[in-house]
Amino acid sequence: MLMKVLINNLFQGVLARGISTYTHNLTLGISQIDHKVTVIESSSIPFSPHFPRFIFNILFIFWEQIVIPIRALFHDRVISPYNSASLLLSVFSNKQMLIIHDFIPYDRNFSISLLYLKFTVFVHSKFRRDVAFITSSVESESLRRGYFRDSKRFIIPNTFFDFQQNLAKQEHAQITGDYILLCSGMSENKDLVGAIRLARMLPGHRFLVLGASSERNRELAGLSIKFLPQVSAEMVANVYKFAKYVWVHSNNEGFGRSIVEARLAGKVVIASNIEAFRAQSDSSVFLYGTEAQFIKSVSDASSYVAKDPYVCKYN
């Protein structure tokens, strides 16, 4: 008998990176690994990625708290992978598994969305419901904060089925010329301002920025930089494959997805020296903490050729 699993991925097709990518690959992975499981990816609201953030938040809360519990009546298992949970399922059912990617938002200033995250996680934890984390370090952080000590806990890491499939299709560069691919973002932990400051130390280099699609291209004195708009998964694979090398900058992450993607594309990487990135590093990843280390990493990466093929250990 087939088990029917419902996965909430409301932002699939709206957000090109982050949790939506993780969730879509989780769907692909479950479907490929266990043929006795039918996976339904719940992502059926068409709306513009240019809507204001508060519209996204309202739609998501409605979807997770009203639509998902109703649809759960017709499924054996529900996966909530966006760091929050359906309260009705947390209280009245064992069907739901919550997936937590990190606790980075918990240290930001108060907001309604942060209150929503914290409250749903608190309730899910108090009722001892199942939870999964993307890394063991995120699990340790959860226990340190007092969450899920009495729950069944699992590790469900990032997978890269979609990226590898798209990577294999790329034969010609969509963006010509040499460029350094900077993987960043608009949230505070990504430290895009800090990355731009470092980029100014590399005159004569050309940068493409992936992950900051809401940032408008503008003239930055003495800097050749282009912020890519929201692009398809195929285009993401393309800009990785034909980059000179990949630069991943951040102050805090739950997982170093961009490093794995770069290495799958056979690229040398320079990256911030943080725990999540150290966990993904190999001989072709050059880490930096200070400006001097950054300059040295760039020099090392520019003259280094990735020799060892990268074997993905997560799929």
Side-chain angles (χ1 to χ4, degrees):
M1 183 176 179
L2 287 175
M3 173 183 285
K4 295 179 67 177
V5 177
L6 177 67
I7 300 182
N8 179 15
N9 195 11
L10 178 61
F11 293 148
Q12 172 67 14
V14 178
L15 302 181
R17 303 285 289 163
I19 296 179
S20 64
T21 299
Y22 168 92
T23 305
H24 183 60
N25 278 274
L26 176 62
T27 301
L28 294 175
I30 295 175
S31 300
Q32 292 179 21
I33 293 170
D34 194 339
H35 298 294
K36 295 182 180 180
V37 176
T38 299
V39 183
I40 308 298
E41 192 171 4
S42 179
S43 55
S44 58
I45 290 184
F47 55 92
S48 170
H50 303 295
F51 280 177
R53 184 60 180 259
F54 78 91
I55 296 294
F56 283 145
N57 291 340
I58 292 171
L59 284 170
F60 183 82
I61 292 173
F62 172 79
W63 193 259
E64 186 164 69
Q65 299 304 324
I66 305 299
V67 177
I68 292 298
I70 293 173
R71 297 190 65 180
L73 296 173
F74 308 99
H75 293 80
D76 302 301
R77 194 73 159 142
V78 175
I79 298 177
S80 295
Y82 276 82
N83 291 322
S84 58
S86 164
L87 293 171
L88 287 173
L89 294 179
S90 296
V91 174
F92 297 108
S93 169
N94 286 315
K95 286 185 176 182
Q96 181 177 214
M97 173 184 283
L98 166 63
I99 298 180
I100 295 181
H101 296 257
D102 57 58
F103 288 92
I104 293 171
Y106 284 50
D107 298 321
R108 295 176 184 162
N109 294 332
F110 173 83
S111 66
I112 297 300
S113 59
L114 176 57
L115 179 63
Y116 175 76
L117 282 180
K118 286 186 171 182
F119 184 66
T120 62
V121 167
F122 172 79
V123 172
H124 200 74
S125 175
K126 282 299 180 183
F127 281 85
R128 303 178 181 180
R129 303 307 187 193
D130 293 354
V131 63
F133 306 92
I134 63 168
T135 66
S136 57
S137 62
V138 177
E139 179 184 18
S140 297
E141 177 67 10
S142 173
L143 297 176
R144 186 185 71 80
R145 291 175 180 266
Y147 295 122
F148 302 110
R149 290 174 176 170
D150 299 316
S151 299
K152 287 185 179 179
R153 302 189 300 272
F154 305 87
I155 303 296
I156 304 181
N158 278 261
T159 52
F160 299 85
F161 299 104
D162 194 37
F163 182 80
Q164 289 180 288
Q165 291 169 5
N166 288 316
L167 193 63
K169 301 174 186 176
Q170 307 308 313
E171 298 181 357
H172 306 287
Q174 299 296 313
I175 297 177
T176 57
D178 285 345
Y179 59 86
I180 298 169
L181 181 64
L182 168 58
C183 299
S184 187
M186 299 304 298
S187 56
E188 184 179 343
N189 64 293
K190 299 291 186 181
D191 188 31
L192 180 58
V193 172
I196 291 175
R197 185 186 70 250
L198 291 174
R200 290 188 182 281
M201 301 173 66
L202 304 175
H205 289 76
R206 179 185 178 212
F207 300 92
L208 293 184
V209 183
L210 177 65
S213 59
S214 62
E215 179 74 4
R216 294 183 177 180
N217 285 306
R218 61 188 191 278
E219 290 296 324
L220 295 172
L223 192 61
S224 175
I225 186 166
K226 177 180 180 181
F227 295 92
L228 292 171
Q230 183 167 312
V231 296
S232 66
E234 291 81 1
M235 185 65 176
V236 169
N238 189 273
V239 294
Y240 268 107
K241 185 168 184 176
F242 294 100
K244 183 178 179 181
Y245 56 84
V246 176
W247 173 18
V248 189
H249 181 85
S250 181
N251 287 334
N252 193 5
E253 296 288 337
F255 183 82
R257 184 178 187 90
S258 293
I259 292 179
V260 177
E261 289 174 333
R263 294 297 297 118
L264 287 171
K267 297 300 170 181
V268 176
V269 182
I270 60 173
S272 307
N273 189 4
I274 60 175
E275 181 181 357
F277 292 172
R278 290 193 296 270
Q280 310 308 325
S281 66
D282 63 7
S283 61
S284 296
V285 178
F286 298 90
L287 301 171
Y288 65 88
T290 65
E291 290 184 353
Q293 291 171 347
F294 173 73
I295 294 297
K296 184 178 186 306
S297 294
V298 170
S299 176
D300 292 340
S302 298
S303 59
Y304 188 85
V305 177
K307 300 173 184 178
D308 300 325
Y310 186 82
V311 179
C312 184
K313 59 185 178 181
Y314 298 104
N315 288 356

